[in-house]
Amino acid sequence: MQLNESHIESLYQFTRDHFVEYYDLQTELVDHLANSIEAVWEEEPNLSFIEAREKAFKEFGIYGFNDVVIHRERAMTKRYFKYLWRELKQWFSFPKIIITLALSICFYTLLSSKFSEYFIYIFYGILAVWCTYKSFILNRDFKKKSKASKQKWLLEALIFKQAGGFGMVFIYYTINLLSHSKSLHQTEYLVIVVSVLLSVTCLLAYISLELIPEKSEGLLEETYPEYHLKIT
């Protein structure tokens, strides 16, 4: 027996019923199930499609698709950070490195001044509002797009949801700045280190919340050859 289009669609629904929400993961699992079902039929041609599917599904073990999903999420997260790193490196080469240096000098000047403590509170307020706003917008856009296309892609979810995590990075560094605010004037080395760290964190947040979402279509087509075909 051979699988037909009805069988394939049934397998997609089967993955959704087992809480696999991303289309690229569904496709990977459907392809695996389809090959396994055809192998089962070669040995036991009298089995029905449902019986063959259940036998093929047992190959995934007691946790079902969970292990495959976790493995794939880890692999795609690495790919996301690869894109993030690729964008970040550009800010340490000419001409963008000028902006990076200027940003670090600006932080150094402000943290070295007698108004450093006020600057920290103002900076914290601005970044908290901006990160919260951008995270809300990106999540809203992701939901709208997913609803319109009726498909979710794992990398797309990382691009539009992972970005909000950098707000936590900002807050972490700000809290540390607050705890060291009294010693900033006493340790120039600390001021330099904090200035550089803040600059890099600002760049990562900007890349994550602005640049990568803007380039999401190109990154998705680069990652998934079938992406363009599915959305047209």
Side-chain angles (χ1 to χ4, degrees):
M1 291 180 65
Q2 295 255 338
L3 291 171
N4 55 39
E5 290 186 8
S6 176
H7 290 145
I8 297 299
E9 180 53 41
S10 175
L11 290 178
Y12 271 103
Q13 185 60 50
F14 184 74
T15 62
R16 290 191 289 269
D17 291 341
H18 286 78
F19 310 106
V20 180
E21 59 177 327
Y22 300 113
Y23 179 78
D24 46 317
L25 286 180
Q26 293 171 3
T27 300
E28 183 177 336
L29 291 169
V30 165
D31 184 62
H32 184 93
L33 284 170
N35 290 331
S36 296
I37 289 171
E38 290 182 350
V40 169
W41 272 339
E42 286 183 6
E43 296 181 359
E44 302 178 72
N46 293 326
L47 290 180
S48 67
F49 168 72
I50 300 297
E51 291 171 331
R53 185 194 67 191
E54 291 304 315
K55 197 164 186 177
F57 182 57
K58 288 181 180 179
E59 295 178 6
F60 289 90
I62 59 174
Y63 295 107
F65 297 136
N66 188 58
D67 289 341
V68 176
V69 171
I70 291 174
H71 176 77
R72 187 63 174 169
E73 285 178 344
R74 287 174 179 170
M76 197 56 66
T77 299
K78 288 182 180 179
R79 181 180 287 268
Y80 170 80
F81 280 107
K82 173 186 171 184
Y83 292 142
L84 194 67
W85 175 243
R86 186 171 72 185
E87 292 291 335
L88 179 63
K89 287 193 297 184
Q90 296 180 21
W91 292 86
F92 290 90
S93 59
F94 191 81
K96 288 186 176 181
I97 193 172
I98 296 174
I99 299 175
T100 305
L101 290 173
L103 189 60
S104 297
I105 292 171
C106 180
F107 278 126
Y108 176 82
T109 302
L110 290 168
L111 292 173
S112 299
S113 72
K114 62 180 180 180
F115 302 107
S116 60
E117 187 173 351
Y118 297 104
F119 162 70
I120 291 172
Y121 282 109
I122 294 171
F123 180 73
Y124 173 80
I126 292 174
L127 74 88
V129 171
W130 186 74
C131 289
T132 302
Y133 171 75
K134 287 300 298 182
S135 297
F136 172 78
I137 294 298
L138 290 175
N139 274 279
R140 185 193 64 183
D141 292 346
F142 175 71
K143 289 178 181 179
K144 284 184 177 179
K145 186 175 180 182
S146 298
K147 185 177 181 179
S149 64
K150 297 181 180 179
Q151 291 176 355
K152 294 180 181 180
W153 303 75
L154 179 53
L155 178 60
E156 186 177 32
L158 288 172
I159 288 174
F160 285 87
K161 291 185 176 181
Q162 186 83 9
F166 283 99
M168 297 304 297
V169 175
F170 264 114
I171 293 172
Y172 171 80
Y173 282 121
T174 304
I175 291 174
N176 277 272
L177 279 174
L178 288 169
S179 64
H180 291 95
S181 61
K182 294 182 180 179
S183 61
L184 281 176
H185 296 296
Q186 301 171 9
T187 311
E188 184 176 359
Y189 175 74
L190 179 60
V191 179
I192 295 173
V193 170
V194 171
S195 299
V196 173
L197 287 175
L198 280 178
S199 299
V200 172
T201 308
C202 282
L203 290 174
L204 285 173
Y206 173 69
I207 291 167
S208 179
L209 292 163
E210 286 284 351
L211 291 184
I212 289 184
E214 287 178 0
K215 298 180 178 181
S216 61
E217 291 295 314
L219 294 176
L220 288 167
E221 289 185 17
E222 179 181 336
T223 303
Y224 308 113
E226 72 277 19
Y227 176 76
H228 181 70
L229 297 174
K230 294 300 296 184
I231 63 174
T232 55

